[in-house]
Amino acid sequence: MRMISTNCQTEQMNSNASEPNSLLNPVASIRTEIERLQKLLQRRRIKLSKVAESYLFHCERYAEFDGFLFPPEPSNPWLSDNTDFWVFESSMMDVPPRRIKRWSFSLRELLQDSAGREHFRHFLEKEFSAENLKFWEVCEKIKTIPQKDVQATVSEIYREYLAVGACDPVNLDCRVLESVKRRIDENPDRYCLEEAQEHIFQLMKRDSYNRYIRLDIYKEFILGNRRKSKKRFGSVRHLCDLSTKINFKTRYSEI
């Protein structure tokens, strides 16, 4: 602590001493400031071992979802002409267990999956906090609508979720609410609600998402779909074996 305070005092004395010189020669002072900032950029803020560990952890976690490293069932569409894999992956009814497993990685992974988002919505409705997900979704939607509709959509979202007496009010602290209201009054663009959206996202991540992953509703959903997938892929393998035997018998009879 003494060393840090000494360094801070030294830097402050150097900056105070350079103030008269900066007034006399502003170009030289700007060059000195650029050199100082470049040295700060070259200084490592995170240990390389920590960076390597995070990369290894990410690769190990997502390795089984790489279709080139671990062949999926059905077969990889990029390596074969069978597109059943894409059909199963986009299904909202029979969700594969490998797809459900990714929901436990992070809240963002859960929300990126349409089936996962719907399942999480049902959970929030039971907890009477579904307005948080609705607000997050409308904030995402506003980033893709035409520019001519942005201002009216922002006003509608504010009245429904943020204004006094809103229909579905979300839980924002006073600082974030005032900041968002100021941005809406000054420039109601498609990104003026980002601060409120990030606040609600972090709220769901810390509170609702952790409970969702730990509850039995998520575990039962995994087990139920795992049983369905075994039956479905078992029937697919059976049909493939039958077609292989039929083709073999046909070729043998022709010979």
Side-chain angles (χ1 to χ4, degrees):
M1 293 297 291
R2 292 181 179 177
M3 184 179 296
I4 294 173
S5 61
T6 305
N7 293 336
C8 294
Q9 292 175 359
T10 305
E11 290 181 0
Q12 186 175 3
M13 292 173 62
N14 293 335
S15 62
N16 293 333
S18 63
E19 284 182 0
N21 295 330
S22 63
L23 296 175
L24 296 176
N25 192 354
V27 176
S29 64
I30 292 174
R31 288 176 179 171
T32 305
E33 182 68 14
I34 291 174
E35 291 177 358
R36 186 182 71 84
L37 294 175
Q38 287 177 345
K39 290 179 180 178
L40 289 176
L41 289 174
Q42 294 174 359
R43 187 181 300 173
R44 293 175 181 173
R45 302 294 179 183
I46 304 176
K47 292 183 179 180
L48 289 178
S49 58
K50 295 293 183 182
V51 176
E53 287 178 5
S54 63
Y55 272 112
L56 288 173
F57 176 75
H58 179 83
C59 293
E60 290 173 356
R61 167 177 275 189
Y62 287 91
E64 64 176 297
F65 301 98
D66 192 329
F68 292 96
L69 297 178
F70 293 88
E73 294 182 352
S75 61
N76 188 348
W78 296 106
L79 301 178
S80 64
D81 295 332
N82 186 8
T83 60
D84 290 341
F85 175 79
W86 286 333
V87 175
F88 292 142
E89 285 293 309
S90 62
S91 174
M92 293 284 290
M93 300 299 295
D94 297 332
V95 185
R98 61 186 299 276
R99 186 170 147 198
I100 302 174
K101 184 179 179 181
R102 295 185 64 159
W103 301 355
S104 62
F105 291 172
S106 66
L107 176 60
R108 204 167 295 279
E109 286 281 355
L110 174 65
L111 297 180
Q112 285 177 352
D113 193 308
S114 56
R117 188 184 299 185
E118 286 300 316
H119 199 251
F120 187 55
R121 189 194 311 279
H122 295 324
F123 169 75
L124 293 178
E125 288 174 353
K126 295 179 180 179
E127 289 204 335
F128 303 100
S129 59
E131 67 277 357
N132 292 332
L133 182 57
K134 292 179 184 177
F135 178 74
W136 184 87
E137 286 178 330
V138 295
C139 290
E140 285 291 302
K141 184 179 179 181
I142 199 175
K143 298 175 184 178
T144 59
I145 64 176
Q147 182 62 35
K148 60 184 180 63
D149 300 331
V150 169
Q151 188 171 356
T153 307
V154 169
S155 301
E156 183 180 353
I157 293 173
Y158 180 80
R159 289 193 302 269
E160 186 173 355
Y161 296 98
L162 304 177
V164 178
C167 301
D168 290 326
V170 292
N171 188 11
L172 291 179
D173 57 32
C174 298
R175 182 190 62 81
V176 176
L177 186 59
E178 291 176 359
S179 176
V180 171
K181 190 176 185 305
R182 192 183 311 114
R183 289 194 62 179
I184 292 175
D185 294 337
E186 294 174 357
N187 183 23
D189 59 0
R190 64 178 75 246
Y191 302 106
C192 64
L193 298 171
E194 274 191 337
E195 188 176 0
Q197 182 188 15
E198 181 62 22
H199 182 84
I200 293 299
F201 180 85
Q202 294 298 330
L203 182 65
M204 291 191 296
K205 179 181 177 181
R206 292 191 304 267
D207 189 18
S208 303
Y209 175 70
N210 287 331
R211 287 201 304 274
Y212 169 77
I213 294 299
R214 290 196 300 265
L215 286 180
D216 294 336
I217 183 175
Y218 173 70
K219 298 175 182 178
E220 290 175 359
F221 192 67
I222 293 178
L223 294 175
N225 282 272
R226 187 172 295 169
R227 296 190 193 99
K228 291 180 182 178
S229 64
K230 286 181 179 179
K231 293 180 180 179
R232 183 176 65 240
F233 291 135
S235 61
V236 170
R237 291 195 193 97
H238 180 66
L239 291 174
C240 292
D241 293 340
L242 286 177
S243 61
T244 304
K245 291 179 181 179
I246 292 172
N247 292 331
F248 178 77
K249 289 181 179 179
T250 304
R251 292 178 182 176
Y252 185 76
S253 61
E254 291 177 354
I255 294 173

